Amino acid sequence: MSKAPRADKQPHPADRHDLIRVHGARENNLKDVSIEIPKRRLTVFTGVSGSGKSSLVFDTIAAESQRLINETYSTFVQGFMPTLARPEVDVLDGLTTAIIVDQQRMGADPRSTVGTATDANAMLRILFSRLGKPHIGPPSAYAFNVPSVTARGAITVERGDKKTVKATFNRTGGMCPRCEGRGSVSDIDLTQLYDDSKSLDEGALTIPGYTPGGWNYRLYSESGLVDPAKPIRRYTKKELQAFLHHEPTRMKIAGINMTYEGLVPRIQKSFLAKDKEGMQPHIRAFVDRAVTFTTCPECDGTRLAEGARSSKIKRVSIADACAMQISDLAAWVRGLKEPSVAPLLTALQLTLDSFVEIGLGYLSLDRPAGTLSGGEAQRVKMIRHLGSSLTDVTYVFDEPTVGLHPHDIQRMNELLLQLRDKGNTVLVVEHKPETIAIADHVVDLGPGAGTEGGTVCFEGTVDGLRTGGTVTGRHFDDRASVKDTVREPTGSLEIRGATTHNLRDVDVDIPLGVLAVVTGVAGSGKSSLVHGSIPASDDVVSIDQSPIRGSRRSNPATYTGLLDPIRKAFAKANGVKPALFSANSEGACPTCNGAGVIYTDLGIMAGVTSTCEDCEGKRFQASVLEYLLGGRDISQVLGMSVTEAVEFFGSGEASTPAAQRILARLADVGLGYLSLGQPLTTLSGGERQRLKLATNMGEKGAVYILDEPTTGLHLADVEQLLGLLDRLVDSGKSVIVVEHHQAVMAHADWIIDLGPGAGHDGGKVVFEGTPADLVAARSTLTGEHLAAYVGA
């Protein structure tokens, strides 16, 4: 039956909703922003660091979309979800489901790997349970997260309407019984847990969180199993066994029913069940001191029980498959021709090919998820969306080019365009001109950072941005030129026979006293060379990409140690004690406990955060605010930006040289706009890394190692960073930078280029010399991209 053509050419009413409208956004530093974003297009948000990009995209648009979706679930389900408050905005219209692909590190669980974080591991387990010889059981028999269980007694097993009573029950799991699926075993140094010359009453335990009088301490001192007045070295064998290795037992301690267990298993459960990367610094320091980790001798680090390792397909076990480089595993799976599992092989092939396509073919499925960089974690999260059948979804990306070589950025751009062409709205927060160039629509925020930002400076096309006169527009076509003269090295750091991860017996001399840049495609072995081969010492200050951990009570003043000299200056000027000027101590407002806000839990609805009425968000008691320094109270000082504080503490009554030194370093790394009391939780990834850089610059090291310091930096700020690196070198330091940014490469005195590819295709030094020589030779991928960048 043929359809009659529609007489009218009027669009369908449903097709009119092709814009996301934001009206009156005031989240964080946004100043009543109103904007219209086209749907099913690629929109890039840019602007200097701290201009309000993340506040608009993540904290307003994506947050409201997620909140509205959460409200569609039943009240019971919502109880298990994070409660999201409505963002500060008057109108948000035309929203679609938002999928956020951010740079948050992946779960720091020690059993989380690249394979378990995607569907690849699950599919491999099913494949081996079907085709593996000898057959050892269902998919769970190949899972290192599932222990084997044998139970005895009357167990009723229901199948349909039949009930069978069994005397024994078995479940075959793949977990190595020795290391419990962690791949490593730990030995605890007992001398680091307690001082055996003291008794429990004298405070023998030296474990963080086990302070005399606390519940952790009373569990042992009041258990009745050991004599708390007797020095530990005089315990009998029975007492020592009860103190260190007792099985978990319910008993009454200090009138309360508690579970008592030996100190060693308790430490293993509370400290060693977590990944070290996710621990607070003082806990991590204790674990480093007290625990040695060695590869599990029973499973050889594969995490799998003997049965799972013995079952093979074409002489390859599941442990071998997970240890392969993903690009090799994809080729191996392609060679399996088995009609009975054809759909599974197709799905597995698609997932593995996605890894290769996105530039992560150099990883292996057994790589712990906690060891991935922010950029790698973001791309692993992307994999599950690439093959998705969903359309008309809003994908939100936070600097997807982080950690990518210019060669890899081209691939990333193609993937973003693929997502858009499937009919999705793609919102990208980005600084790299290569990615801004592919946008259908550009939103430039600014003009400055912090209180100087928060407005839309430009909206339109890329060509319009170039001529728009904004900071981004002016710097869009900036190109650094290769230096005419380079510094002469004062010595060299010799690395011989480096084999960490994929390095192939690398010998290289890194020159000292100059700016040396280590570069190469993602996965070529840069971080392995720099972090794995340069021994840690007092002379080496290493600033890596591990995230700063801090609560919303932490701020730049507490993190950098700036608050100490400020508190002392206030105390000295007013003749009172320094603890009064801490919002976490005696001076805190009693109503909000120094948080500045009151959190009201509304049960089944999203909680509400409101400013504390007693202290009006100032966090301190009214009596503390009567003490002044240079005419300002402590809350006014914490409200200052770094730039204002430099002036305030530089001269006059408030002159404090110790504070001045820390503030000067914060200004040096381009954080002059941050306010001293701004919660760390509101800082972007790039801001946190530069905060770490400013803190570490005060150390006395002779060699500075920086891992991608341009992360999160606007084109205009890169110039300032180069100036900072120059000042470090000119002051007699050696600076080694792992970097992809061509402006930093061009500015280097010496370049070490690793490659030629990633994973086992990399791990070699393919070039060492000056940037000018690299451009002239064009013998590597980096050389070609750098030559195109400088216009050679």
Side-chain angles (χ1 to χ4, degrees), residues 327-386:
S327 52
D328 294 344
L329 180 60
W332 180 75
V333 170
R334 202 172 277 115
L336 298 177
K337 301 282 186 273
E338 186 60 51
S340 63
V341 288
L344 176 66
L345 286 172
T346 307
L348 179 56
Q349 189 68 59
L350 200 68
T351 302
L352 297 174
D353 286 343
S354 295
F355 272 101
V356 177
E357 193 182 340
I358 208 165
L360 292 177
Y362 61 88
L363 294 178
S364 59
L365 294 182
D366 63 2
R367 169 90 174 257
T371 65
L372 298 178
S373 69
E376 286 171 333
Q378 188 177 25
R379 282 177 283 151
V380 166
K381 290 177 201 168
M382 260 184 99
I383 283 165
R384 62 183 62 160
H385 303 305
L386 289 177

Side-chain angles (χ1 to χ4, degrees), residues 645-685:
V646 167
E647 209 172 303
F648 179 72
F649 288 107
S651 58
E653 187 200 334
S655 177
T656 313
Q660 184 71 1
R661 280 194 295 276
I662 298 171
L663 288 164
R665 293 201 295 268
L666 285 169
D668 254 356
V669 297
L671 293 177
Y673 60 87
L674 278 192
S675 69
L676 305 185
Q678 185 175 336
L680 283 190
T681 49
T682 64
L683 301 189
S684 67

